[in-house]
Amino acid sequence: MTTGRRRVGITGKWRIHEMDLWDRDALDLVDPAFIEFLPDNTGSFGFIAVRGWMDCRTTTINDCPALEFTWDGNDECDRACGRGWAALRSDGSLHGHIYFHMGDDSRFQASRE
């Protein structure tokens, strides 16, 4: 990417600023909440005491660039895993959903760091 130009696509680090199930103070309990997608189709995320590592696949959702992913990680030191998706909106924001296997799920909104 050239300096001064807007980055296109989902690759990069995003700041999660909203989730359905938890308020902002909870999201940033351990570290600032984030989700990051790397060029090699991997990534990671963290919020509250949850940390996940992702295996991603590109797709489109409503004609917008998107990724679907599975993840493996931990929730307060207990093993956790699940799936999710993230889509880039026309306004440049990222919207998605994270699912815990046999547990909670929550939509999220994020902006590029």
Side-chain angles (χ1 to χ4, degrees):
M1 182 188 129
T2 306
T3 303
R5 290 193 180 172
R6 182 178 167 157
R7 290 172 66 181
V8 177
I10 297 175
T11 301
K13 192 167 187 177
W14 298 79
R15 176 77 161 96
I16 297 173
H17 52 82
E18 186 176 322
M19 293 186 85
D20 288 343
L21 294 184
W22 304 283
D23 66 24
R24 183 56 179 247
D25 289 338
L27 289 178
D28 297 338
L29 181 66
V30 175
D31 289 312
F34 76 95
I35 189 164
E36 183 174 21
F37 301 102
L38 302 175
D40 66 356
N41 291 324
T42 64
S44 63
F45 62 82
F47 57 89
I48 311 174
V50 177
R51 184 66 192 242
W53 294 269
M54 300 178 292
D55 176 18
C56 307
R57 298 294 182 265
T58 59
T59 188
T60 58
I61 297 175
N62 297 327
D63 295 323
C64 295
L67 292 170
E68 294 177 335
F69 57 87
T70 58
W71 66 272
D72 190 45
N74 56 64
D75 180 1
E76 295 187 47
C77 298
D78 292 327
R79 185 174 184 280
C81 62
R83 62 186 171 87
W85 60 268
L88 184 63
R89 296 263 174 101
S90 59
D91 66 0
S93 64
L94 188 72
H95 292 244
H97 209 118
I98 295 176
Y99 300 86
F100 288 73
H101 183 69
M102 305 292 289
D104 291 329
D105 66 274
S106 183
R107 289 182 293 178
F108 70 86
Q109 295 182 33
S111 56
R112 195 175 294 280
E113 283 199 335

